[in-house]
Amino acid sequence: MSLKLTAIANGSEIALNKVEYIEENDVCYFRVSNSENIGVNFLYVPITSSKWDKDKLEIHLFKNPYLNAENDVFQVYEATISEERLGWIFPITILESNENDFRDHSNLNQYKYIAYQKLFELDYKIITGNNFNEFLKLSDVFGNIIICILCKETTNKIKDFKFENYLLSFYKYGYLINLPEPKAIYNKTEFVATMRNNARVTLTKANFDITTNDFTKSLFIEHLLQSDNFLVRFILLYQIIEHFIDEFSESQFNEHIKNYQMKQMVKNDFREAINRSATERDLIVDLFNSIPIQKDLINEFITEVSFLYSDIGKITKKNTFPDKMYNIRNLVTHNLRELTTKTESMKKITELFELIILDLLINFKTTNPEKVDGE
């Protein structure tokens, strides 16, 4: 793939396969052209170039509605090799300006140079007039993107490394792919401040492959989830719970039949077990007992749901985390009219629910799980 130049005058499309780094008259720039030297120039702003082999690195593009300031530059690590840096993730603006905190960072400057080269390999169109010697900014072509550059030598140290397995982990930090302009739906002030102090993104491989399921693929990759309506988001996210409890129900049903046929279960116990496998509340308990979720998320979710129920004058007898999950699901499904004036409360619950779903997908199939129902 390569950049494609489209001239406004005649609509012709020209593939730009030739990339040259040029230094002349104290000006550094990339000339991107074809064999006839028809092309455009991109001013090179960073203070140093690089001799690194660009083919030893890979590029991925994101958008982030929360971490998109010029100084939102982070080192990228992976949980299983936490002492080795995989690469960097940064906004395109640091390639167009030196008025930031990372002007003199020697390692990052190597990545900046590679970022230019890797961007020129992508399939993007440049719309221009007949002036094929004009200077463009990268953002003129690529927009306000976030660039992630990873070192293949380091990612190869990770067993069965597949970039798609880390999309959910990127998502937890607000990094989204395939989206024109994501919306800043939640108040992430505290999260942003924490990230800027930590200065790193640590990725965790997801045990659930979202690309193998049409719904989760649509939700997180094709961005069905990018509605700014928090109730729509909650309903979409809850479909993942539905998916898992359907699988749990079928698995339990088959196991009960097998146990009954082998006379390991009497008729009354069999009947009771079958009924339980058809009860959504019990299935939710079983689901979250099998997958570890961050304790702070659980506690905050319980607190927010309890506050909402108290605020609307409802009393719940069961107060474990899975019960709260089932209660809020019932409230949204059957008593939506009671939430019309509780926008901020439901928005916070949905934000926490989203993080819980991400934990569920990332930790799915984890063995020897920690119980989370408080029992």
Side-chain angles (χ1 to χ4, degrees):
M1 295 187 293
S2 63
L3 292 178
K4 294 181 176 64
L5 177 67
T6 301
I8 294 175
N10 54 24
S12 61
E13 191 172 282
I14 304 168
L16 307 180
N17 298 311
K18 183 179 179 182
V19 177
E20 300 173 276
Y21 177 68
I22 301 171
E23 297 180 2
E24 59 182 21
N25 300 324
D26 296 325
V27 175
C28 302
Y29 64 94
F30 279 95
R31 174 72 177 169
V32 187
S33 61
N34 67 356
S35 59
E36 299 176 2
N37 201 30
I38 297 175
V40 291
N41 302 319
F42 289 87
L43 189 66
Y44 185 71
V45 178
I47 62 173
T48 60
S49 59
S50 173
K51 299 299 183 183
W52 285 7
D53 181 356
K54 63 181 177 61
D55 293 328
K56 292 184 178 180
L57 296 102
E58 59 185 86
I59 185 171
H60 303 278
L61 305 184
F62 292 93
K63 294 289 186 71
N64 192 320
Y66 307 104
L67 297 172
N68 52 32
E70 190 165 331
N71 279 322
D72 285 334
V73 178
F74 305 102
Q75 301 176 76
V76 180
Y77 288 83
E78 201 269 351
T80 62
I81 53 169
S82 58
E83 298 305 313
E84 293 196 60
R85 181 173 54 209
L86 270 62
W88 291 82
I89 189 164
F90 49 82
I92 197 172
T93 47
I94 72 161
L95 302 181
E96 300 180 331
S97 168
N98 289 319
E99 300 298 319
N100 54 68
D101 296 341
F102 299 91
R103 176 184 182 274
D104 300 313
H105 196 294
S106 58
N107 181 264
L108 178 59
N109 281 336
Q110 303 283 340
Y111 280 83
K112 291 179 186 178
Y113 185 85
I114 298 297
Y116 273 81
Q117 293 180 307
K118 303 298 283 188
L119 285 171
F120 296 146
E121 294 177 345
L122 301 179
D123 189 7
Y124 273 74
K125 283 190 177 182
I126 305 172
I127 309 297
T128 184
N130 291 322
N131 181 10
F132 296 131
N133 293 307
E134 64 179 314
F135 278 83
L136 299 176
K137 296 192 301 180
L138 290 173
S139 57
D140 292 335
V141 177
F142 301 98
N144 187 29
I145 57 169
I146 307 293
I147 300 166
C148 179
I149 304 283
L150 302 179
C151 174
K152 294 179 182 179
E153 181 179 341
T154 309
T155 58
N156 286 339
K157 296 179 182 179
I158 302 169
K159 183 179 179 181
D160 300 324
F161 177 82
K162 181 183 176 185
F163 181 76
E164 289 75 11
N165 289 337
Y166 294 89
L167 291 178
L168 291 174
S169 199
F170 276 110
Y171 192 95
K172 290 184 74 172
Y173 291 102
Y175 293 106
L176 312 170
I177 62 172
N178 294 345
L179 194 68
E181 286 302 328
K183 301 171 183 177
I185 297 166
Y186 304 120
N187 182 353
K188 295 280 192 178
T189 304
E190 185 175 342
F191 161 77
V192 169
T194 300
M195 283 297 300
R196 289 172 179 168
N197 285 332
N198 292 340
R200 67 162 60 186
V201 166
T202 301
L203 304 176
T204 303
K205 179 181 178 180
N207 289 319
F208 184 89
D209 186 353
I210 59 174
T211 64
T212 62
N213 179 282
D214 288 341
F215 182 74
T216 54
K217 182 179 179 181
S218 296
L219 201 65
F220 293 107
I221 296 182
E222 297 168 6
H223 296 290
L224 186 62
L225 191 57
Q226 284 306 300
S227 167
D228 57 358
N229 185 303
F230 56 91
L231 289 173
V232 171
R233 293 173 73 89
F234 183 92
I235 292 168
L236 290 172
L237 288 163
Y238 195 82
Q239 299 307 302
I240 294 176
I241 301 289
E242 297 277 6
H243 167 77
F244 282 121
I245 63 177
D246 283 348
E247 287 194 348
F248 264 66
S249 179
E250 183 175 355
S251 175
Q252 290 179 0
F253 184 78
N254 291 334
E255 183 179 354
H256 298 328
I257 290 177
K258 179 181 177 181
N259 290 338
Y260 182 69
Q261 289 173 340
M262 296 177 66
K263 301 188 183 303
Q264 296 177 357
M265 181 182 290
V266 299
K267 184 180 294 185
N268 285 341
D269 290 342
F270 173 68
R271 185 182 293 113
E272 183 179 339
I274 290 296
N275 289 336
R276 189 180 189 281
S277 295
T279 304
E280 186 168 345
R281 182 187 292 272
D282 291 330
L283 288 168
I284 291 174
V285 171
D286 292 342
L287 172 63
F288 284 103
N289 276 346
S290 70
I291 299 172
I293 307 295
Q294 294 178 58
K295 282 290 187 182
D296 57 343
L297 283 179
I298 292 170
N299 294 334
E300 194 171 358
F301 184 84
I302 291 173
T303 299
E304 290 293 335
V305 174
S306 298
F307 174 81
L308 175 61
Y309 264 70
S310 175
D311 197 30
I312 62 177
K314 287 186 175 294
I315 299 174
T316 59
K317 296 181 180 180
K318 296 183 177 181
N319 293 303
T320 67
F321 168 62
D323 286 314
K324 293 296 185 184
M325 183 73 68
Y326 185 71
N327 291 342
I328 195 66
R329 172 263 186 201
N330 283 345
L331 194 61
V332 171
T333 304
H334 302 300
N335 299 95
L336 189 58
R337 61 188 179 278
E338 298 190 41
L339 300 176
T340 54
T341 61
K342 308 301 176 185
T343 300
E344 290 306 312
S345 185
M346 269 307 300
K347 185 179 289 186
K348 181 60 178 178
I349 288 171
T350 303
E351 179 183 1
L352 293 169
F353 184 46
E354 189 169 310
L355 294 173
I356 289 167
I357 293 297
L358 291 172
D359 256 18
L360 185 153
L361 293 170
I362 289 172
N363 297 322
F364 185 66
K365 294 183 180 178
T366 299
T367 58
N368 299 321
E370 171 190 2
K371 285 198 173 225
V372 299
D373 66 346
E375 297 177 348

